Amino acid sequence: MLALRLLNVVAPAYFLCISLVTFVLQLFLFLPSMREDPAAARLFSPALLHGALFLFLSANALGNYVLVIQNSPDDLGACQGASATKAPCPSPSTHFCRVCARVTLRHDHHCFFTGNCIGSRNMRNFVLFCLYTSLACLYSMVAGVAYISAVLSISFAHPLAFLTLLPTSISQFFSGAVLGSEMFVILMLYLWFAIGLACAGFCCHQLLLILRGQTRHQVRKGVAVRARPWRKNLQEVFGKRWLLGLLVPMFNVGSESSKQKDK
């Protein structure tokens, strides 16, 4: 339990550090390199478009990250403390989280990167957080590849060029051909790639469960769910104003869970 609580503190700090490093690299390396383009004098310069797109992706990722934490699932208070494993919960979809020490409705899982449980109230923000984090990381990787390609005069036309970049760069770094800042960017390329794929996988898996009307907790416990149309399951999580929430971080306005909470 101590290790889980420690991970609940370290994981959010790790995510915030990666976000800060990404922002610094974008601001002080990638954007200045684009301003050197002769076409930058135009109104819609590459640097301006790149900055606007990165700001949109990062703002949605961090915005939904904050909403996942603020919009915590309600503590039903049905099971408390050590007796939570023995006392029956009011619904098969509820679960007592030992890390958060509370019972949540439609419990899905505990996310250590947000330090919070994912349930009925913040499921929508968690899915969007995974989506925009994946897009921001993959976009940063593309911008980083363009920067490394320009600085080191490396061509990524060959499919295996990205796979062989790291071992080649390590040998060149120790020989002095690659600077420390360039080596750091190369390491970040692989980190962005890994985080982007992981978040994309989480997002797709979560969307599949939402379409089925299930949660991860129900799948692990083998709980059968009532068959419903996938559109109704999707609307229950994302609400009727899903397009507005897709563009701007916001609470579950218009969703079924928020209506039941208001009642």
Side-chain angles (χ1 to χ4, degrees), residues 141-163:
M141 185 197 71
V142 173
V145 166
Y147 172 80
I148 292 297
S149 177
V151 172
L152 300 181
S153 300
I154 300 177
S155 176
F156 289 90
H158 195 276
L160 298 179
F162 183 76
L163 298 179

Side-chain angles (χ1 to χ4, degrees), residues 52-62 131-133 135-137 139:
L53 180 57
F54 175 75
L55 182 62
F56 171 76
L57 296 177
S58 58
N60 275 277
L62 295 177
L131 173 63
Y132 280 106
T133 300
L135 293 177
C137 287
Y139 182 71

